[in-house]
Amino acid sequence: MRALIISLVMLLFLPLASAAQLTFVGDESLKELPGSGTPDDPYLLGNLLINASNDTAILIKNTSAFLLLIKNVSIVRENKRPGIILENVKNVRIENVRIVRCSYGIKIINSGNITVANSTFEGNLYCYWKSEFAGDADCKGGAIFADYSRNLRIINNSFVPHSYLFSNIYGVYLVMVENSTIYGNRFVSSVKCFPSAAFGGYCKGAAVYLDRSSGNEIIRNKIYLPSSGGVEYAAEVYGVYIFGINNSIYLNDFYGKKVPYTPEGASGFYYVFPRAGNKNTFHSPRVVYKFANETFEGFLGNYWDSYSGSDEDGDGVIEQPFKVDRYPLILPSENYEILGLVRGELNTTTSPTQVSSPLNTSSPSAPSPQEENFRYISLVLIVLGVVLFILWRRK
């Protein structure tokens, strides 16, 4: 009887146990997980605390089953490897995960139809010393990195420092990525400063960095960048860096002050690669929207904390353009409620289905990992109590 009770306890609490590296290669390997791989009953990898150390915590490779859900997973401890690698995969949703101090939080390679939502990334980067005597350091990595991928949805995540020394050197870094959406995220100080023998101090990083990436949307994100701490040497610090065409950037909030030394075409940390300036759209399609309890029709750009101008007609849009933004907002984007597209108008960089979701004012937030774990533990305790009561009655 005692052995039976112990076995039941271990079985019930197993999903909450720590795990080492988990590797799944091919669709057949996913059948080891709970679920059937359908949208209503996805394969589930969840409720795990992984103490990663010099190894990738979760590796998924060569899968296309519909659908794999990675949920309620925490990956912690200093790690020179990525927390999660998705390579040549499709149809994966990552939700309510927390990844702390890996070289990359999530690395996505040659993959599609990937969603990362309602998750937290803290201090993901890897630094090494170029020379023991020169005192130079270099840092790489970031929270989410993707290359040669498409149809990514990075939604309602939080990118924050782990400590004063450890931040996500890049929030979202996309290389050769197409038809993807970065929506509703919060980026705080996505920059790393480190010593340099040549300059005395040097900083680099970006909240969102697009490299040869086209047809993507960056909408309703909040980007906070530092205005002190040696960043006057920040020749490579950007709020948004764009090298690509047909990308749409609007209804984002940029916070940060101007600094004395900035690259040509920059204002503080708000920098757009010059060669891409005229080939991307820094405003919404023509929409009907509500501002200050009134309804208007027009285009909406972005809010720039370091820029001020006049809004003479009270429609919430500053009359004077701000660099590449022809319709800068007078107030943060939360003050603008999109009611719909103007009939006959369509964003030229996206399909109708792509436009409809990001134009909503907000997305419903899922329960936090702590809330989900609390619910799970509560259910486990109830079931365990019932089992123990039944066994006690049978004695």
Side-chain angles (χ1 to χ4, degrees):
M1 183 67 67
R2 180 180 298 175
L4 176 60
I5 294 175
I6 293 174
S7 299
L8 286 170
V9 172
M10 291 180 63
L11 180 63
L12 289 169
F13 280 95
L14 184 59
L16 296 178
S18 297
Q21 183 186 41
L22 301 172
T23 301
F24 299 89
V25 179
D27 287 344
E28 284 296 315
S29 66
L30 298 178
K31 294 181 179 179
E32 302 173 10
L33 298 171
S36 57
T38 65
D40 294 331
D41 183 30
Y43 293 121
L44 176 62
L45 177 61
N47 300 307
L48 292 170
L49 171 62
I50 302 178
N51 292 310
S53 181
N54 297 325
D55 207 350
T56 298
I58 298 174
L59 171 63
I60 312 291
K61 189 173 182 179
N62 302 333
T63 66
S64 59
F66 201 100
L67 173 72
L68 169 62
L69 174 61
I70 300 174
K71 185 175 182 180
N72 296 342
V73 173
S74 292
I75 301 173
V76 298
R77 187 175 291 181
E78 183 178 358
N79 186 8
K80 297 178 181 179
R81 297 282 299 160
I84 298 175
I85 294 180
L86 305 178
E87 182 176 352
N88 191 31
V89 306
K90 297 178 181 179
N91 309 320
V92 175
R93 180 177 178 88
I94 299 174
E95 183 177 311
N96 290 341
V97 304
R98 178 173 177 254
I99 303 179
V100 180
R101 291 197 62 186
C102 293
S103 61
Y104 296 91
I106 299 175
K107 194 169 187 178
I108 303 170
I109 305 166
N110 191 31
S111 298
N113 194 25
I114 309 296
T115 298
V116 182
N118 302 304
S119 297
T120 301
F121 299 85
E122 300 178 22
N124 293 282
L125 80 167
Y126 169 57
C127 297
Y128 63 93
W129 294 99
K130 292 181 180 178
S131 168
E132 183 178 354
F133 303 102
D136 287 352
D138 195 10
C139 298
K140 301 181 182 297
I144 297 177
F145 174 87
D147 65 352
Y148 294 94
S149 299
R150 59 188 296 114
N151 300 327
L152 309 181
R153 291 169 295 277
I154 301 171
I155 302 171
N156 293 347
N157 301 288
S158 183
F159 301 84
V160 297
H162 180 63
S163 66
Y164 176 76
L165 294 176
F166 296 97
S167 61
N168 299 300
I169 188 170
Y170 292 97
V172 177
Y173 196 129
L174 306 183
V175 180
M176 299 291 287
V177 171
E178 299 179 346
N179 301 327
S180 297
T181 298
I182 303 170
Y183 174 80
N185 302 284
R186 177 173 173 263
F187 299 91
V188 179
S189 298
S190 296
V191 57
K192 173 62 179 174
C193 297
F194 45 90
S196 168
F199 300 103
Y202 189 75
C203 306
K204 70 176 182 179
V208 179
Y209 196 107
L210 302 189
D211 181 2
R212 294 162 290 165
S213 296
S214 303
N216 304 292
E217 293 183 319
I218 304 172
I219 304 172
R220 287 202 181 274
N221 301 283
K222 293 187 181 297
I223 298 174
Y224 299 86
L225 289 162
S227 57
S228 61
V231 291
E232 60 270 18
Y233 299 101
E236 296 184 51
V237 175
Y238 314 109
V240 174
Y241 180 103
I242 298 177
F243 180 20
I245 61 174
N246 296 334
N247 298 289
S248 294
I249 306 96
Y250 58 92
L251 287 172
N252 301 285
D253 301 332
F254 294 87
Y255 293 93
K257 296 180 180 179
K258 295 181 181 180
V259 294
Y261 306 102
T262 57
E264 181 181 355
S267 173
F269 303 105
Y270 318 135
Y271 180 68
V272 178
F273 199 69
R275 287 166 53 189
N278 295 326
K279 298 179 181 179
N280 296 283
T281 304
F282 288 83
H283 59 78
S284 70
R286 193 173 186 87
V287 295
V288 178
Y289 65 95
K290 183 177 288 187
F291 174 77
N293 293 322
E294 293 189 45
T295 301
F296 300 92
E297 180 181 306
F299 301 97
L300 297 175
N302 302 273
Y303 174 73
W304 311 87
D305 181 53
S306 67
Y307 179 67
S308 60
S310 60
D311 175 20
E312 297 176 2
D313 54 7
D315 64 352
V317 177
I318 298 174
E319 269 71 25
Q320 302 78 25
F322 177 61
K323 301 190 180 298
V324 294
D325 193 339
R326 295 171 57 191
Y327 305 94
L329 306 180
I330 193 74
L331 292 176
S333 61
E334 64 194 41
N335 294 279
Y336 302 77
E337 179 185 356
I338 306 299
L339 302 179
L341 286 168
V342 172
R343 188 175 182 83
E345 285 288 333
L346 182 64
N347 189 340
T348 57
T349 65
T350 54
S351 66
T353 54
Q354 226 179 340
V355 171
S356 60
S357 176
L359 282 176
N360 293 333
T361 55
S362 62
S363 293
S365 59
S368 67
Q370 292 80 7
E371 291 172 332
E372 289 283 349
N373 283 337
F374 178 77
R375 293 176 184 176
Y376 182 86
I377 293 171
S378 300
L379 179 60
V380 166
L381 292 175
I382 292 172
V383 173
L384 180 60
V386 171
V387 171
L388 293 175
F389 178 75
I390 294 172
L391 293 174
W392 177 77
R393 290 290 301 269
R394 289 183 177 179
K395 289 177 60 177

